[in-house]
Amino acid sequence: MYFSELASFFQKLETTDSRNAMTEILADLFSQASAAEIDKICYLCLGRLVPQYESYEFNLAEKLMFEVLAKAYGKDKEAVKTLYGRLGDLGGVAQALASEKGEVKSIKDSTVEEVFTKLWEVAGVEGEGSVEKKINLLAELIASLAPISAKYAVRIPLKKLRLGFSDMTILDSLSFMKKKDKSLRKKIEPFYNISADIGKIARAFKEKDLEGLESIRIVPGTPIRTASAERLPNAEAIIAKIGKCAAEPKYDGFRVQIHKKDQEVHIFSRNLEEMSASFPEISAATKKISVSSIIFEGEAIGFNSETQEFLPFQETVQRKRKYGITEMAKKIPLKVFVFDLFFREGQKLIDQPYHQRRQQLEEIFRKSQSDVFAIAEKKIFEQACDLEAFFQEKISQGLEGVVVKKLDAPYEAGSRGFSWIKYKREEKGALDDTLDCLIMGYYYGRGKRAGFGIGALLVAVYNAAEDVFESIAKIGTGLTDEQWMEIKKECDALKVEGKPARYKVHKDLNPQVWVLPKLVTVVRADEITKSPLHTAGKIGAEAGYALRFPRVMELLRHDKKPEDATTVKEITELYGMQ
Ligand code: ATP
């Protein structure tokens, strides 16, 4: 496929505001792509060169792009800047300058593969003189492209190709490509859940349909999508739901998925971002585990070994950083409470029942003499009163509560189910838990806030069945002035003209500024109520759900993807529990 053809698809995707239309356009794109290029096309569609969990970055600031464009089109840097001032988008600037320049002989000759290879080369430049070299390589590429191709080839290195869909939309589109409907998504998704490389999945499926996917295996280095817990309000409800069960403390740190193959270690966050560089002590301890290949999961938490006390989440979370790592590792050493095992010595374990996975996990970690790893405590319960006592004990130790696990359940990669149930400390208010909501946009402020240009946020929950975001609240409280400024800055970096395709919002609630799906904020409310305006959980003419007295509790959860926001299904359940 020529890159200009791909760019035309980008253009179509960019201008559609319906999730379904997007799925069909992508399906059309995938059916025209060859198996050899479909993986690269998937990454490019998401504005990347590698799967989401890998980091292979361009590290190219906007100001360098001025130089690239000046060089590519033989213009003065100031002229490029002026045009940018007018258009507000460097992709648009490239398109305009390329059109001005007129026909370029080699235009039609650039295939997706060729452009991908060149971009790859640009991102890979390192060492002395790398900035200059990057500029030259990229300018050479941009100069050879047709206007529409140049527009998108410029946006990719700037991380500005935001077409507004996720890996999930791609899964639907793959189904659509073969069947003209989404029915195959259910069959494709389990493979994606154990191997979260969307390019690899698309390629295997393109090559040999579902049979092709059979070749997808769990491999160390490719993350497995995490399982999530359902919640229940008390021990009786839990025992009534799953009977005899295991309960583990709910450690309040951050989740880590750790992969080891020989001496190669990868540590992924809940969001499946590669974090190995931030946790040198976990990497070192993993290398010492006496198996050659393993994938396991645990919760990392700051731990004071003198006092044997856990550190509060606010301290632990300081370890999630890219700079000053060594210093912080000394200040806040981490302990990883391991709780699940997915893979061991080439063998896939996620389909085995919990109690068997757990047994093997204990076997491995009992042997490892490590200060970093500890096995998460586990007890078996049949009676609600005993489970309740265990829960109370954990609360008194300063923990969040417990995670209860069904003894015979497989690991439910990529989904939220009752195989795991979280039972958390009660907090004031009828609504016990906080909600993770996606920021859809913001409204300009009135009164004092008018000065900030932001007065309230429109937030949404995730409708996983339809892969769309539905509005649930307008929030104007809970933030300090500094936080309003900060959130505005974050929002402005993701601002778009029209309503993003996957947003469902009643027109009376349209915010003044729309924001692409990216920012997840933690919200508390007194109650879930019914609403004629909000679309969360709305079916036909029925009312949707809204939040009463919503306020922001934690500005942003960078470890959560938009699709990790609280779901409509959870809201419906929480409403039922009230
Ligand atoms: P929350 O905000 O309540 O932690 P979440 O949406 O981040 O929820 P869930 O999957 O719903 O995540 O709840 C389980 C979370 O609890 C996991 O993300 C994990 O990080 C954490 N956790 C702590 N201890 C355990 C444990 N023993 N077993 C499983 N998960 C645990």
Side-chain angles (χ1 to χ4, degrees):
M1 179 180 286
Y2 290 113
F3 191 78
S4 57
E5 294 172 285
L6 179 61
S8 303
F9 277 105
F10 286 166
Q11 176 123 324
K12 273 196 221 161
L13 287 164
E14 198 181 31
T15 46
T16 178
D17 63 357
S18 130
R19 197 311 182 154
N20 284 341
M22 223 170 213
T23 309
E24 289 181 34
I25 297 167
L26 277 171
D28 190 17
L29 163 63
F30 295 148
S31 56
Q32 290 183 36
S34 71
E37 64 194 3
I38 197 168
D39 47 354
K40 298 174 194 80
I41 289 178
C42 287
Y43 306 140
L44 288 171
C45 281
L46 295 162
R48 307 176 56 84
L49 299 176
V50 287
Q52 302 273 17
Y53 57 86
E54 270 181 49
S55 98
Y56 188 64
E57 306 291 344
F58 289 94
N59 294 323
L60 205 103
E62 216 160 58
K63 65 176 197 293
L64 290 184
M65 195 58 93
F66 293 137
E67 284 184 45
V68 170
L69 296 186
K71 195 162 222 147
Y73 299 112
K75 291 276 174 191
D76 180 62
K77 208 164 93 187
E78 288 310 308
V80 176
K81 268 192 198 165
T82 313
L83 194 54
Y84 175 58
R86 229 177 53 225
L87 300 175
D89 158 36
L90 278 164
V93 171
Q95 187 175 21
L97 292 176
S99 311
E100 199 178 284
K101 191 171 149 193
E103 281 296 298
V104 177
K105 263 213 306 298
S106 60
I107 282 171
K108 260 280 171 186
D109 297 336
S110 285
T111 61
V112 169
E113 289 265 3
E114 283 162 351
V115 175
F116 185 91
T117 309
K118 291 254 170 67
L119 288 173
W120 186 274
E121 217 180 304
V122 173
V125 176
E126 273 179 340
E128 214 178 305
S130 63
V131 173
E132 204 51 39
K133 206 160 161 204
K134 267 187 200 183
I135 294 175
N136 288 338
L137 277 172
L138 196 56
E140 195 185 300
L141 168 67
I142 302 292
S144 75
L145 297 174
I148 186 173
S149 303
K151 172 175 169 183
Y152 294 102
V154 160
R155 283 189 187 170
I156 292 170
L158 289 174
K159 291 193 170 170
K160 293 262 159 115
L161 183 84
R162 295 169 179 148
L163 299 173
F165 56 81
S166 66
D167 286 10
M168 290 302 148
T169 323
I170 295 188
L171 294 181
D172 276 340
S173 307
L174 290 173
S175 167
F176 219 92
M177 164 179 84
K178 294 279 170 179
K179 287 268 292 220
K180 293 273 170 263
D181 63 34
K182 296 177 190 166
S183 60
L184 288 182
R185 149 104 179 251
K186 282 198 294 298
K187 299 210 165 127
I188 304 172
E189 197 173 327
F191 294 97
Y192 176 63
N193 288 340
I194 61 161
S195 172
D197 177 346
I198 196 71
K200 193 163 154 189
I201 298 290
R203 187 169 183 153
F205 186 66
K206 176 90 194 180
E207 269 165 3
K208 282 196 183 154
D209 300 349
L210 291 173
E211 199 192 319
L213 291 174
E214 296 295 334
S215 67
I216 300 286
R217 298 268 178 279
I218 292 184
V219 283
T222 306
I224 293 166
R225 294 185 68 226
T226 48
S228 302
E230 284 282 358
R231 57 189 116 196
L232 282 174
N234 54 53
E236 287 85 55
I238 296 172
I239 296 289
K241 181 89 194 171
I242 58 170
K244 187 174 171 186
C245 55
E248 299 173 0
K250 188 170 192 300
Y251 302 98
D252 193 12
F254 45 80
R255 197 165 180 168
V256 281
Q257 187 184 111
I258 303 175
H259 294 224
K260 171 187 171 179
K261 175 137 205 300
D262 305 324
Q263 285 303 293
E264 190 182 319
V265 172
H266 297 274
I267 303 171
F268 297 104
S269 67
R270 184 188 194 288
N271 215 354
L272 308 187
E273 241 176 274
E274 167 81 71
M275 303 289 294
S276 323
S278 304
F279 310 131
E281 77 270 49
I282 305 183
S283 295
T286 304
K287 287 186 185 160
K288 291 196 191 129
I289 303 172
S290 57
V291 285
S292 61
S293 70
I294 187 169
I295 305 177
F296 60 101
E297 190 171 51
E299 187 86 353
I301 179 165
F303 192 74
N304 183 333
S305 47
E306 295 291 327
T307 60
Q308 293 288 305
E309 275 176 354
F310 299 112
L311 300 181
F313 180 73
Q314 289 75 359
E315 285 194 42
T316 297
V317 82
Q318 294 187 51
R319 285 296 310 273
K320 284 191 141 184
R321 54 170 58 221
K322 298 228 158 79
Y323 307 100
I325 290 167
T326 327
E327 200 179 298
M328 203 45 95
K330 274 203 202 112
K331 203 168 143 207
I332 305 177
L334 293 172
K335 205 168 194 70
V336 178
F337 288 88
V338 297
F339 56 72
D340 218 316
L341 179 66
F342 305 149
F343 180 90
R344 176 190 188 178
E345 306 290 27
Q347 200 197 349
K348 170 184 179 188
L349 301 174
I350 58 166
D351 297 329
Q352 293 195 5
Y354 161 80
H355 68 91
Q356 283 182 15
R357 299 196 309 275
R358 189 56 219 214
Q359 198 184 349
Q360 295 203 45
L361 180 81
E362 287 173 19
E363 221 173 81
I364 296 168
F365 284 92
R366 239 185 265 120
K367 274 192 243 147
S368 94
Q369 304 278 320
S370 160
D371 287 341
V372 174
F373 295 119
I375 302 168
E377 189 188 349
K378 179 204 79 175
K379 281 199 171 147
I380 304 288
F381 295 99
E382 278 182 84
Q383 306 291 337
C385 56
D386 299 334
L387 176 57
E388 180 64 29
F390 181 66
F391 169 76
Q392 293 300 342
E393 179 191 314
K394 294 304 128 197
I395 298 297
S396 66
Q397 290 169 0
L399 292 160
E400 259 194 304
V402 296
V403 183
V404 179
K405 300 182 174 178
K406 206 165 151 185
L407 294 171
D408 57 1
Y411 185 81
E412 289 192 61
S415 64
R416 191 180 291 281
F418 281 99
S419 298
W420 284 12
I421 301 170
K422 54 186 172 188
Y423 173 21
K424 299 213 278 190
R425 186 175 46 221
E426 243 184 73
E427 288 155 40
K428 283 178 214 74
L431 190 57
D432 292 342
D433 211 344
T434 52
L435 308 172
D436 299 319
C437 296
L438 177 83
I439 300 179
M440 304 177 110
Y442 68 83
Y443 307 88
Y444 298 145
R446 280 187 232 141
K448 178 184 159 206
R449 299 251 186 83
F452 298 163
I454 180 168
L457 301 168
L458 179 69
V459 302
V461 286
Y462 181 53
N463 177 337
E466 291 175 34
D467 189 25
V468 294
F469 297 94
E470 301 177 343
S471 83
I472 190 159
K474 216 168 140 173
I475 313 181
T477 44
L479 298 178
T480 61
D481 290 357
E482 288 71 40
Q483 288 177 316
W484 278 113
M485 302 305 279
E486 188 184 336
I487 203 94
K488 180 172 186 298
K489 206 168 123 207
E490 296 268 358
C491 286
D492 286 345
L494 297 164
K495 172 160 114 180
V496 277
E497 273 306 314
K499 180 168 73 68
R502 292 193 293 150
Y503 287 2
K504 269 187 160 172
V505 179
H506 188 287
K507 64 176 186 341
D508 291 354
L509 285 172
N510 281 354
Q512 270 120 2
V513 176
W514 290 105
V515 172
L516 285 168
K518 177 90 202 277
L519 307 172
V520 176
T521 182
V522 182
V523 176
R524 176 170 287 289
D526 281 8
E527 215 186 331
I528 296 171
T529 53
K530 285 280 187 176
S531 151
L533 278 187
H534 284 290
T535 47
K538 187 175 170 64
I539 302 168
E542 269 175 46
Y545 294 107
L547 302 179
R548 184 157 168 264
F549 300 137
R551 56 238 178 236
V552 172
M553 299 301 288
E554 189 185 327
L555 204 54
L556 293 172
R557 286 261 333 230
H558 289 291
D559 64 331
K560 292 215 167 182
K561 288 205 292 285
E563 291 78 13
D564 292 327
T566 301
T567 59
V568 169
K569 191 166 154 262
E570 288 174 87
I571 294 290
T572 313
E573 285 161 6
L574 285 168
Y575 183 76
M577 277 183 209
Q578 278 178 177

